[in-house]
Amino acid sequence: MLSARNITKKFAGVTALDQVSLDLYPGKVNAIIGENGAGKSTLMKILSGVYSDYAGDIELNQQVVRFRDTRDAQEKGIAIIHQELNLIPYLSIRENIFLGQELCTPWGLLDRVKMHQVTQQLLQKLRLNLHPNTLIKDLKVGQQQLIEIAKALHLNAQVIIMDEPTSAISGAEVAVLFEIIGELKKEGKTIAYISHKMDELFAIADTYTVLRDGKTIESGEIAQVNPEQLVAKMVGRAIPQLDRSSRQDNPVELLRVENLQLPFKGAKESSGNPIAFSLNEGEVLGIFGLMGAGRTELFETIFGLTSKKNRPELFIKGKKASIQSPADAVKAGLAMVSEDRKKDGILPLLSVKKNISITTLTQLLQNGILSAKKETALAVKYIKELNIKTPSPEQLIQDLSGGNQQKAILAKCLATQPRVLLLDEPTRGIDVNAKAEIYQLIGQFAKMGLGVILISSELPEIFAVCDRVLVLCEGQLNGNFPIAEASEEILLKAAIRL
Amino acid sequence: MNLAIKKEQFSKLQSLIALLVLCLVISLLSDKFLTVANGWNVLRQISVNICISVGMTLVVLTAGIDLSVGSVLALCGAITAGLLKMGIELPDQNLYIGFTLFGACLIGILAGAALGFFNGWAITTFKVPPFVATLAMLTVARGLTMLWTGGFPISNLGASFAKLGTGWFIGVPVPVWISFLVVLLAIFISNKTPLGRYIYAIGGNENAARLSGIQINKVKIMVYSLAGALAALGGLMMTARLDSAQPNAGTGYELDAIAAVVIGGTSLSGGRGTILGTVLGAIIIGVLNNGLVLLNVSPFWQQVVKGLVILLAVIIDRANSKGE
């Protein structure tokens, strides 16, 4: 059993954890929940040896231990799957899994055959139909996440910490993960599971511990509570439901996409029927599909990020728009929030203000010079409108929480006064509160007449905000449902072509 | 006041303190150092490096690098010198074109911009890594310099051109004026124009910048063209000071420029740094060079010391940004 006793950890004077205690029981899935910034990730990093300077004790099987580093923790049987992926893109799956613990032949050379076999077994266990020599960079984010899990399994640890393992993977992969968690449980392993997703927690967790603002709020058996009670404990209040009643039914076509071919790995020429759909003013159109169904590629194709050949035909308000690059797309009235906030979203070294103004700098000139006044005014306006929590517009964006970073990214998109917003998993890795706020904002945008296209892996999210849902399956459009006619079952069936 | 800004100001102050300490030490060891004449001398000597380093800073801020500046400097200096001295003769058509001072200088600078444009074009259109593209240009431009000059210096370029390197204006050497204006212009561009902001954005996160609708290729081509033009300007100043365009001029200058950029606290991975930092870096290198000469340190040791100072500067900078 792994326990934390009165752990306190400070970062540059800011208390991240304040006297936190936690027990992780073997043979159980121990859920640790709390909003972003509640201290979950910090606590897990301490338990896995990432941070070794903290006050308080960690007990492993009734003995006080202090891990020097992650390697020390690994040797004592604790493995962590981080929220951020820690894989080396230009090495293969096999090389990544064995990184730092390569098997060697008696000659001291790498034993590829053995490592190949072990990797193959791990991949099989995870139902991944991939060759062990595939480079990580050629995998989808969801597949990479599963490789992280394979890495932890390979360590054969007694305690496995999973920090939001499902934030990047889709339904089918989640099911596989849960099966594996079930097996690990039976083997008597201790599992610490961090997630924002209530349905997941209630599907697999046995115990829960709620953290809020760096403090332990409550621990108990998951069977004793319901989702609403848990959420209330996390945030201290209930989440408001999105009000869609006032959204008008306004069938004015805003965007029409025709002849869109999704590029696919393996197939040189895309096969099958091209995709066509339209979006109305004030409409929120959901895009649902499994990981690898081509959802992100759909956005990239529309936004001018893919090859110049095979461009789809786009009509905005009936007028043909020629989009060859993201710059063209922005000019045509499109704006896109990408799936990976860190990689494609924020400008990490710049302030919140400069992140918001980056899309509209040419409108902030005075006599050809950037006007600091106009720029600050723009930033302050959006910080207020979108309720971005930041000490000042000058704060570096990387110091904000994920939800507030995402709101700043929305702000920079809105600043261009777009007519169509493309949102790719806008609430990924964001806490419940910020999520609700973003749903509210999407509702407001629609009310203002914007067309919103929303990619989401979370069905509750689709049902919370969308008016209509397109389902993609293997690069093809496989369904177009008004939300009233859709159910989770219908959408899932369309996504896996049942 | 925000912590990050305070920190940045402190690290800038740090290089200033380092510079002052350096000056203090040298002036204690040599009474020739702290004289007005030597002061102008140092500033004049570094003005070429400042021109190049400013362009290099803009390139490095986009997470690129320009190794071709030394060769571009030589080629453009030689082009201007050649045009000034000989003009263009086409004996078949019985044609001779002479050039005014202004015309020759303008063509030299435009040639630099064109070479930089070519760098930017190769980097953006064909996705050639900046290191490779500008390395190729380093060789090509040096070869073109040899072809243009035939391997011999072009000298005796006239008194009015020489003023560009040796003249004085309101009590300040002309090259110092020029580099001062270049620095002002670059600070203006980097702080007050969309282009400047785009440069920082691209260096900080190119993907995010692209999705924001910034025309990455256009910005990069502009930055490399600017770096080429500034290298050419440095070439003019140097040619004028020596009253001679040497075919092997500027060899290794790219390294001095990169050193100034790095000592000035600009991150080679892009997105972080300032023009003012680079200027400080260039002055530190200049003062160090000057001091070591005044102290009669052997040229071999000078190189060792310079290298160690670069290393030390980066180590200190790393230590400063560690908490981020």
Side-chain angles (χ1 to χ4, degrees), chain A residues 303 305 326-327 330 338 342-349 354 357-359 361 365 369-370 375 394-396 412, chain B residues 2 4-5 188 191-194 197-198 200-201 203-205 207-215 270-272 324:
Chain A
F303 210 64
L305 275 162
V330 171
S338 69
K342 215 158 83 183
K343 190 166 142 274
D344 304 319
I346 60 168
L347 300 165
L349 303 172
K354 290 179 178 177
S357 66
I358 192 74
T359 51
L361 287 178
L365 300 180
I369 300 172
L370 265 184
E375 193 181 4
E394 309 296 336
Q395 187 76 24
L396 286 185
K412 98 178 161 183
Chain B
N2 161 330
I5 292 173
F188 174 77
N191 290 335
K192 295 284 177 194
T193 67
R197 188 67 57 76
Y198 295 159
Y200 281 95
N205 187 347
N207 285 331
R210 180 175 294 114
L211 285 178
S212 301
I214 296 173
Q215 293 177 295
R272 192 170 66 90
E324 277 166 26

Side-chain angles (χ1 to χ4, degrees), chain B residues 229-249:
Chain B
L230 287 173
L233 183 62
L236 295 189
M237 282 154 53
M238 193 165 132
T239 307
R241 196 177 74 217
L242 302 173
D243 194 20
S244 169
Q246 304 281 339
N248 59 354

Side-chain angles (χ1 to χ4, degrees), chain A residues 252-370:
Chain A
V252 179
E253 183 187 274
L254 180 58
L255 170 77
R256 192 164 82 246
V257 178
E258 282 178 6
N259 206 13
L260 187 151
Q261 301 264 10
L262 286 179
F264 253 129
K265 277 204 185 110
K268 275 262 183 302
E269 290 297 316
S270 17
S271 48
N273 300 323
I275 293 173
F277 65 89
S278 66
L279 171 75
N280 293 333
E281 278 181 6
E283 186 179 36
V284 181
L285 178 63
I287 309 267
F288 181 71
L290 301 181
M291 195 63 59
R295 301 169 305 173
T296 298
E297 290 82 355
L298 179 78
F299 273 12
E300 287 174 350
T301 309
I302 293 175
F303 210 64
L305 275 162
T306 47
S307 74
K308 300 228 152 88
K309 277 185 269 171
N310 292 328
R311 299 292 309 149
E313 287 170 67
L314 299 178
F315 300 87
I316 292 174
K317 287 227 155 191
K319 255 179 66 187
K320 193 163 184 219
S322 161
I323 294 177
Q324 303 290 342
S325 69
D328 289 344
V330 171
K331 242 180 251 158
L334 269 55
M336 174 169 156
V337 174
S338 69
E339 171 180 28
D340 191 331
R341 194 164 51 241
K342 215 158 83 183
K343 190 166 142 274
D344 304 319
I346 60 168
L347 300 165
L349 303 172
L350 296 183
S351 64
V352 175
K353 175 179 90 178
K354 290 179 178 177
N355 267 277
I356 293 175
S357 66
I358 192 74
T359 51
T360 50
L361 287 178
T362 46
Q363 293 160 33
L364 303 172
L365 300 180
Q366 198 153 34
N367 308 323
I369 300 172
L370 265 184

Side-chain angles (χ1 to χ4, degrees), chain B residues 63-75:
Chain B
I65 193 119
D66 189 348
L67 299 179
S68 67
V69 285
S71 300
V72 169
L73 170 144
L75 178 57

